């Protein structure tokens, strides 16, 4: 039963975390630049672990009782995505050398960490996915088995962000060309604008 619960948590967590999102796009870009990758991976996985454990511990119901908080995160997150999308669009428009593109986006360690946490914590869906949904799924397992489920979900998060952050270097040969950075930034800009629009137009529901 322990193995089954852990495996269920692993697959459930992977299904939610691996879905393409703004946070994943940011981690991929930092991985391509090989700048502060460990800090970014630790922040993303650490935040997921805290939220998953909180959900399994019973905070999912509490989050549902605070709809105003989710709405604040909804509009705050949309504003942040629009701002970041605009920055990516400007980089794509201006172009420049590969080195200049990397330096412009890299930023200091503190700036990168704060941006990463903003992508993570200003996204209201992260609370619905980790705290509410995974917390609800864990209730199917009695007693301590729910913590085995949580361990599996946490392992999925750690494995995914390590793979995304450190595995991005395999794509570096493609990004030796300046045009590749412009295409990436253009795609990120469009993606961020789409996510922001969805947040603004669609009410949040568990």
């Amino acid at each position: 039963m322990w193995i089954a619960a852990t495996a269920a948590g692993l697959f459930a967590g992977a299904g939610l975390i691996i879905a393409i999102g703004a946070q994943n796009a940011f981690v991929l870009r930092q991985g391509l630049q090989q700048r502060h990758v460990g800090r970014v991976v630790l922040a993303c996985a650490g935040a997921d672990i805290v939220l998953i454990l909180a959900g399994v511990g019973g905070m999912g119901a509490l989050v549902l009782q605070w709809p105003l908080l989710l709405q604040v995160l909804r509009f705050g997150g949309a504003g942040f995505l629009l701002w970041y999308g605009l920055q990516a669009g400007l980089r794509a428009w201006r172009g420049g050398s590969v080195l200049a593109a990397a330096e412009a986006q890299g930023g200091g360690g503190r700036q990168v960490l704060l941006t990463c946490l903003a992508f993570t914590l200003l996204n209201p869906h992260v609370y619905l996915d980790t705290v509410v949904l995974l917390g609800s799924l864990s209730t199917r397992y009695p007693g301590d088995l729910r913590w085995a489920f949580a361990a599996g979900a946490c392992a999925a998060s750690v494995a995914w962000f390590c793979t995304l952050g450190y595995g991005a270097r395999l794509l570096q040969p493609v990004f030796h060309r300046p045009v590749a950075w412009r295409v990436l930034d253009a795609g990120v800009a469009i993606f961020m604008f789409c996510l922001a629009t969805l947040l603004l137009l669609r009410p949040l529901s568990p």
Side-chain angles (χ1 to χ4, degrees):
M1 288 295 293
W2 282 86
I3 295 177
T6 303
L10 181 69
F11 286 113
L16 294 173
I17 295 164
I18 295 177
I20 296 175
Q23 182 191 48
N24 287 340
F26 178 77
V27 175
L28 176 63
R29 195 175 221 288
Q30 291 302 130
L32 286 169
Q33 296 169 358
Q34 291 297 290
R35 295 177 65 92
H36 310 294
V37 179
R39 192 171 301 189
V40 168
V41 168
L42 181 61
C44 292
D48 269 3
I49 290 172
V50 170
L51 293 173
I52 290 169
L53 294 179
V56 173
M59 287 191 64
L62 190 61
V63 169
L64 293 179
Q65 293 176 5
W66 291 352
L68 180 60
L69 175 60
L70 288 178
Q71 293 307 315
V72 170
L73 291 170
R74 173 189 175 192
F75 291 105
F80 176 75
L81 291 175
L82 288 172
W83 173 83
Y84 193 85
L86 178 61
Q87 299 301 309
L90 289 174
R91 288 194 303 270
W93 177 263
R94 293 168 182 166
S97 67
V98 175
L99 180 60
E103 289 178 344
Q105 176 59 15
R110 182 180 179 184
Q111 177 187 346
V112 168
L113 179 59
L114 291 176
T115 303
C116 180
L117 290 175
F119 272 120
T120 303
L121 301 178
L122 287 179
N123 176 13
H125 290 287
V126 74
Y127 299 96
L128 295 176
D129 287 347
T130 56
V131 178
V132 177
L133 185 54
L134 288 177
S136 298
L137 290 175
S138 71
T139 60
R140 299 180 181 180
Y141 299 90
D144 290 341
L145 286 178
R146 62 182 177 143
W147 296 110
F149 178 91
C154 292
S157 177
V158 172
W160 169 247
F161 286 117
C162 286
T163 300
L164 187 62
Y166 291 106
R169 69 181 64 190
L170 299 177
L171 297 176
Q172 282 184 328
V174 177
F175 287 88
H176 282 316
R177 297 178 296 171
V179 66
W181 285 102
R182 298 187 72 175
V183 171
L184 176 64
D185 280 325
V188 167
I190 294 172
F191 186 55
M192 298 300 169
F193 288 141
C194 289
L195 286 179
T197 301
L198 289 176
L199 273 180
L200 292 172
L201 296 180
R202 291 186 180 178
L204 294 174
S205 58

